[in-house]
């Protein structure tokens, strides 16, 4: 049965899937932006609100056969959006509290007081392997054999890095190098 509406005609008799999808499309077109606005006000972030609104509309689509018979299917979609937003906000609050608890329990790093800051600044300016070998040797008093194991390189290579590092440091710091030490 076709019923005239002004100059247009509208199908009233159809209750098949085409009509259901058409009415869902109308709901989506009319309500999506409003649902996004509602979620944005509740969560405070536009991108999160868009995701939540889309999730709510998808839930409406999945349950459309049932909610299309409600007096106001858009109210159901809004309620889902509100519930999703509440869940997200609760999750964020729990995450923030957990991060705060772990931050409070974490030990603060000990400030290392190095005896000669200019020396260690010069060490940091060396090539990486030389700096690593120098630091392990002088700061931790490790022999070349242990340094080799820690860095995964050969012991003679450690000795070469120590020699070149000492030579470069002596040049940078304007000191004479003791040849027996290298």
């Amino acid at each position: 049965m076709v019923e005239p509406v002004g100059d247009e005609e509208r199908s009233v008799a159809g209750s098949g899937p085409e009509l259901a999808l058409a009415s869902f499309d109308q709901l989506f077109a009319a309500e999506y932006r409003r649902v996004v606005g509602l979620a944005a006000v509740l969560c405070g972030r536009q991108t999160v609100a868009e995701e939540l609104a889309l999730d709510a509309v998808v839930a409406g689509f999945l349950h459309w056969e049932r909610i299309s018979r409600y007096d106001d299917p858009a109210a159901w979609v809004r309620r889902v959006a509100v519930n999703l937003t509440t869940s997200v906000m609760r999750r964020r609050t729990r995450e923030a509290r957990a991060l705060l608890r772990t931050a409070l329990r974490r030990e603060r790093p000990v400030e290392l007081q190095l005896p000669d800051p200019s020396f260690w600044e010069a060490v940091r300016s060396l090539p990486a392997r030389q700096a690593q070998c120098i630091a392990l040797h002088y700061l931790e008093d490790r022999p070349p054999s242990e340094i080799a194991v820690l860095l995964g390189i050969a012991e003679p290579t450690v000795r070469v890095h120590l020699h070149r590092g000492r030579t470069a440091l002596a040049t940078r710091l304007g000191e004479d190098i003791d040849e027996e030490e290298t």
Side-chain angles (χ1 to χ4, degrees):
M1 175 175 159
V2 175
E3 183 177 335
V5 179
D7 292 336
E8 302 173 3
E9 294 183 348
R10 179 174 55 130
S11 173
V12 178
S15 63
E18 297 85 20
L19 181 62
L21 288 177
S23 60
F24 177 79
D25 287 344
Q26 291 170 350
L27 171 87
F28 181 82
E31 300 297 328
Y32 177 72
R33 293 177 66 74
R34 292 177 186 164
V35 175
V36 171
L38 173 64
V41 167
L42 296 175
C43 76
R45 295 185 56 197
Q46 181 69 27
T47 55
V48 174
E50 289 171 358
E51 288 181 30
L52 294 171
L54 196 53
D55 288 346
V57 170
V58 167
F61 178 76
L62 294 175
H63 298 284
W64 186 247
E65 187 176 320
R66 179 173 44 101
I67 68 168
S68 64
R69 294 184 295 239
Y70 292 173
D71 290 338
D72 188 3
W76 186 91
V77 171
R78 280 191 194 87
R79 183 66 196 163
V80 170
V82 167
N83 290 343
L84 289 171
T85 305
T86 301
S87 295
V88 165
M89 298 307 290
R90 283 182 185 149
R91 188 176 320 117
R92 280 190 187 166
T93 302
R94 284 192 307 269
E95 288 172 356
R97 286 180 185 156
L99 286 172
L100 181 61
R101 280 192 307 271
T102 56
L104 293 175
R105 277 189 267 154
R106 186 175 33 169
E107 290 184 27
R108 300 291 176 215
V110 177
E111 285 293 322
L112 184 59
Q113 297 296 325
L114 299 174
D116 186 1
S118 62
F119 172 77
W120 292 107
E121 186 176 328
V123 168
R124 285 188 294 275
S125 71
L126 293 173
R129 276 294 188 211
Q130 289 178 19
Q132 293 165 356
C133 289
I134 294 286
L136 288 168
H137 185 70
Y138 290 104
L139 187 64
E140 295 189 6
D141 199 28
R142 293 186 182 269
S145 59
E146 286 183 29
I147 296 171
V149 171
L150 282 170
L151 297 179
I153 57 178
E155 187 175 340
T157 306
V158 171
R159 288 192 183 102
V160 168
H161 286 309
L162 285 171
H163 174 73
R164 290 181 182 165
R166 287 184 197 123
T167 304
L169 288 171
T171 303
R172 286 193 181 130
L173 299 173
E175 306 231 350
D176 291 326
I177 189 164
D178 183 9
E179 290 298 323
E180 289 179 19
E181 191 178 324
T182 60

